[in-house]
Structures are given as structure tokens and as C-alpha cells.
Amino acid sequence: MSGRLAVIGLGPGDDRYLTREASDALAAADALYGYGPYLDRVPVRPGQTRLASDNREEGARAEAALRHAAQGAAVAIVSGGDPGVFAMAASVCEAIETGPDSWRAVDIVIVPGITAMLAVAARAGAPLGHDFCAISLSDNLKPWELIERRLEAASSAGFVIALYNPVSRARPWQLAKAFGLLARHLPKRTPVIFGRAVGRQDESVTVTPLAAAQDIPADMATLIIVGSRDIRLIARPGRSALVYTPRAVEKVSA
Ligand code: SAH
């Protein structure tokens, strides 16, 4: 009775972004666990239980799902985007590492999804065409000083930076502080891409120079890509600009 736990990425938006593997894994589950708004994206199936929990309860959710799977059930946890990017797959691994031995016998399947960074990048052009990194601006799970150090290191080393979790009600000043730090290492005109609710009906994408980035509204549904010194912007008449990072970088410019 070892059971199975699938950790499934739903992609950033509607079901056009759901992979076939994810859709098959959803159909095969006896029970679905997840944050309510993510569960709401999954079609209701007769006989399948749904257990919604708050977004801040990732550890408890992972443990509940593992307990359930260890009883022999086919359980699934859903995540927005990719489950391995600032999301549930790591919470499940952490619970297994510290939990009872019986959880190590559960069959674990991680089903990848399109992460927000890739969906936003695709809308703007190819900003991730060269080296890049992803940083969560949330200091709920790490100290703010560490975030500052990573922003400085990444921008001065020439990485394009994808910022997840840029703002929340409890974290009102951090994003402006981050732009201030980045401006010390990057030219004022560096393109910054704001993608909000990408893949959903109310999607919006805005590109602005770093010097004006603090004037663009952002919230928890926004992913921000900050360019490097190598990033390029191609203006096009009557169309949005194309933002890309060339495949080849010839000199140390950062
Ligand atoms: N596992 C998710 C990320 C979870 S962290 C993934 O792989 O995408 C939550 C953050 O992801 C949000 O604060 C926002 O920065 C970003 N995000 C998630 N969905 C998004 C979307 N549709 N459009 C823009 N950003 C999104």
C-alpha cells in the first residue's frame, strides 16, 4: 500500500498551457490538493475529492497529501506554472526528508509545467536568450539581506534576472528597493518587462526602462524580467518592441 503522489504544474494560465502529461495525471488522481484558485482551474471529475488550502500552508499541504498517498491512494497536488519553481515540489521533498519512513515508499511523480518566466519572456521576444537567473523577492522564506546580495551579484555578473513574487500587501517597499539596487549596476535605459496574468484573459505586458520601472504597477500576479547590459530592444512601427538577449556575448561588459 505505498500509493502515489503526483505534483502537477498547471502552467501560468488557462488550459492551453496545460501539458498532456499534466492533464493525464490530473485525470488519474483520486484526490486533488492545492491552493484554492489553482484547484479552480481543474475541471471537476465525479469521484475525485478536492482539498483546498491556503497559499501559506505549503508544508501542511505536502504532509497531508503524503499521509493520504501512503494509505495507498493516487493523490495529486497542483501548482501554478512549474511545481519545481518556488512551489510545491520542493515542499513535498522536504516533507519526505523529515517525515516518517513510510513516505519514502510513496511513488513520487513531478509533472513539469510552463513557468511564468518563460511565458512572460515569450511575449516580449527572447530576453532569456543568454544567461539568466530567477530570484523570488519574497522574504517570507529567506532574509531580505540575502535577496539584496543576490540581486547585486546577479546584475553585476551580467545575468538577466526574472523576479518572482515581486510585491504583496505585507511587502510594499521591497520592489522599489530592488530596482534601486539594480540601477547601481545597470544603465538607466535597461529594458524591464512586466508580465501580469500572462496566459489569462486579463493578461498585460509592459516594457519600460529601468529608470521608470518603479512607476509601473506590479502585484502578486506579475513577473518582472530585468535586462542585462547585453539586452537589446528593437522598436517596430505599429507593433510592440522586441526585447532579446543575443546568443553571443563577446566581452565582459558587466
Ligand atoms: N510555480 C510558479 C511560481 C510560483 S511563485 C511558476 O512556475 O510560475 C508565484 C509568482 O509567479 C507570482 O508572484 C508571479 O511573480 C509569478 N506568476 C505566476 N503566474 C503568473 C502569470 N500567469 N503571469 C505572470 N506572473 C505569474
Side-chain angles (χ1 to χ4, degrees), residues 213-236:
Q214 74 279 1
D215 301 329
I216 305 294
D219 62 11
M220 278 305 273
T222 308
L223 180 122
I224 300 170
I225 297 177
V226 181
S228 66
R229 283 172 184 273
D230 300 308
I231 204 162
R232 320 263 317 149
L233 186 143
I234 310 172
R236 299 183 299 172

Side-chain angles (χ1 to χ4, degrees), residues 11-13 38 41 55 79-88 113-117 119-120 136 163-167 171 195-200 219-224:
Y38 295 148
R41 289 202 223 155
N55 212 9
S79 227
D82 182 273
V85 178
F86 306 122
M88 284 307 300
I114 298 172
T115 188
M117 165 180 84
V120 173
S136 168
L163 296 174
Y164 284 77
N165 298 311
V167 187
R171 295 182 287 108
R196 184 175 185 284
V198 167
R200 302 178 207 154
D219 62 11
M220 278 305 273
T222 308
L223 180 122
I224 300 170

Side-chain angles (χ1 to χ4, degrees), residues 33-76:
Y33 286 75
Y35 175 47
Y38 295 148
L39 281 180
D40 292 343
R41 289 202 223 155
V42 181
V44 174
R45 287 188 179 80
Q48 193 175 56
T49 353
R50 299 159 85 91
L51 297 120
S53 46
D54 190 89
N55 212 9
R56 282 159 298 187
E57 292 169 6
E58 290 191 352
R61 182 189 307 143
E63 288 172 15
L66 279 161
R67 260 195 306 277
H68 195 163
Q71 290 161 10
V75 176

